[in-house]
Amino acid sequence: MRLLLTGATGFVGRELVPSLEVAGHDLVLVSRDGKRAQRMAPRADVVEADPSQPGPWQELTGRVEGVINLAGEAIAEKRWTPAQLLQLRNSRIDTTRHLVEALEAAARKPAVFISGSAIGYYGSSSSTCFDEQSPPGEDVLGQLCRDWEAAALPAERFTRLVRLRLGIVLGPDGGALGRMIPMFRLGLGGPIGSGQQWMSWIHRTDLCRLIVTALEDGAYEGVYNAVAPNPVSMATMATALGKAMGRPSLLPLPAPVLQMLLGDGAKVVLEGQQVMPRHLNQQGFAFRYPQLDAALAAVLHG
């Protein structure tokens, strides 16, 4: 299958692109950093463009059989200034809108459109267990994810649409875990904030397997929580990471310190939600890493 990808040079894309190539797919990568994308995937066709802006790149949607949209500015790496909040929205919502507009205009429609979202859709809660039927939250992330998915929904009229609400993706070279690992190696690791907030996670390999499966299996359609079936507390996550690394996990990072560094962006790790993959379970998706200990061992030791 010939596929168009946005967000291919990000944390998920670094494993997804080779996974797709191994599966036999031909790739077209739309990236603001064309040189980086080409280095990462020498066999792919690379178009240097900002997908949050309309342009000639949109014509490519009529020349592929599937589209994967993972574009989006990193959520929790900068303070949520008005300019940063605008960038968070534009990089997701405008990119998705331009893709859908191009899909609608294409004479030949791709068979499948996989569009990213996040479990921030549900807002945060210490007690509620969310699944795909739960309503969106009213906080900043809930509104962002709701609008992000709304931009994708018109594609249902002319292609198979799969919306993936990603949890905390575990990998050694990025994401929340990638920032925790160096601290633990120094013996300075521990839970962030109260430690009681829920962490709904997925190993990056399982996420990539899910995307490949959703591309190739026409039974996948609608919204799916891309999380493993066993969410844990932040304290449990820190303890398990310390055990896997043979390091202590005794020094919590106080919430005020993180808030000083990231402002409102700290909410991503200070507040959590317990999210279950009900639709994936119904679909029969087999997680390679359903348990945290095995997932962390795979991340740290291959």
Side-chain angles (χ1 to χ4, degrees):
M1 189 183 298
R2 188 163 175 80
L3 305 171
L4 183 147
L5 278 73
T6 66
T9 60
F11 172 52
V12 174
R14 288 197 290 271
E15 183 169 339
L16 177 62
V17 166
S19 297
L20 291 169
E21 290 181 330
V22 167
H25 299 291
D26 296 323
L27 307 182
V28 179
L29 310 184
V30 179
S31 174
R32 290 178 297 174
D33 190 343
K35 292 182 179 179
R36 181 181 177 191
Q38 198 71 76
R39 287 195 302 269
M40 188 180 76
R43 291 182 293 164
D45 293 330
V46 174
V47 177
E48 186 164 13
D50 181 354
S52 70
Q53 302 295 323
W57 68 268
Q58 290 175 285
E59 298 175 5
L60 297 169
T61 57
R63 306 174 196 169
V64 297
E65 298 160 279
V67 175
I68 302 172
N69 175 30
L70 298 177
E73 179 82 3
I75 285 283
E77 294 188 358
K78 297 180 181 179
R79 295 181 67 87
W80 285 358
T81 63
Q84 179 65 7
L85 284 172
L86 183 62
Q87 179 62 19
L88 292 177
R89 291 185 62 84
N90 291 349
S91 63
R92 288 165 172 77
I93 297 166
D94 288 355
T95 296
T96 304
R97 180 166 54 84
H98 294 318
L99 279 169
V100 171
E101 289 172 352
L103 291 171
E104 188 167 23
R108 190 185 73 171
K109 315 293 187 189
V112 57
F113 178 32
I114 296 179
S115 196
S117 182
I119 59 172
Y121 177 94
Y122 303 110
S124 60
S125 174
S126 61
S127 57
T128 303
C129 185
F130 299 102
D131 64 20
E132 290 87 350
Q133 302 303 313
S134 301
E138 296 298 328
D139 59 359
V140 170
L141 289 181
Q143 294 173 18
L144 170 62
C145 293
R146 181 192 61 201
D147 294 344
W148 190 6
E149 293 188 24
L153 276 174
E156 288 183 323
R157 299 196 303 267
F158 40 79
T159 191
R160 178 167 61 89
L161 174 62
V162 180
R163 288 174 286 148
L164 298 180
R165 293 176 182 158
L166 276 60
I168 297 167
V169 182
L170 302 186
D173 56 340
L177 190 62
R179 292 193 291 274
M180 294 171 71
I181 287 172
M183 299 299 293
F184 276 79
R185 284 187 175 138
L186 294 172
L188 302 175
I192 298 172
S194 71
Q196 300 307 304
Q197 66 271 38
W198 283 101
M199 310 287 285
S200 296
W201 56 274
I202 185 170
H203 191 289
R204 185 171 60 181
T205 295
D206 271 335
L207 176 56
C208 294
R209 290 177 57 246
L210 169 58
I211 292 172
V212 173
T213 300
L215 279 170
E216 299 173 349
D217 187 343
Y220 281 76
E221 189 165 9
V223 62
Y224 296 86
N225 289 330
V227 294
N230 295 289
V232 298
S233 70
M234 168 59 83
T236 298
M237 174 77 76
T239 299
L241 180 57
K243 180 180 178 181
M245 297 182 68
R247 294 289 190 273
S249 56
L250 304 174
L251 298 174
L253 177 64
V257 174
L258 194 64
Q259 288 168 332
M260 181 178 66
L261 295 172
L262 296 177
D264 288 342
K267 292 180 180 179
V268 177
V269 288
L270 293 175
E271 302 175 6
Q273 57 277 108
Q274 184 183 17
V275 179
M276 301 303 294
R278 183 168 70 91
H279 285 180
L280 287 182
N281 291 337
Q282 292 173 343
Q283 205 83 35
F285 180 76
F287 288 89
R288 187 171 294 171
Y289 303 105
Q291 301 290 342
L292 181 62
D293 287 347
L296 291 176
V299 167
L300 294 169
H301 309 300

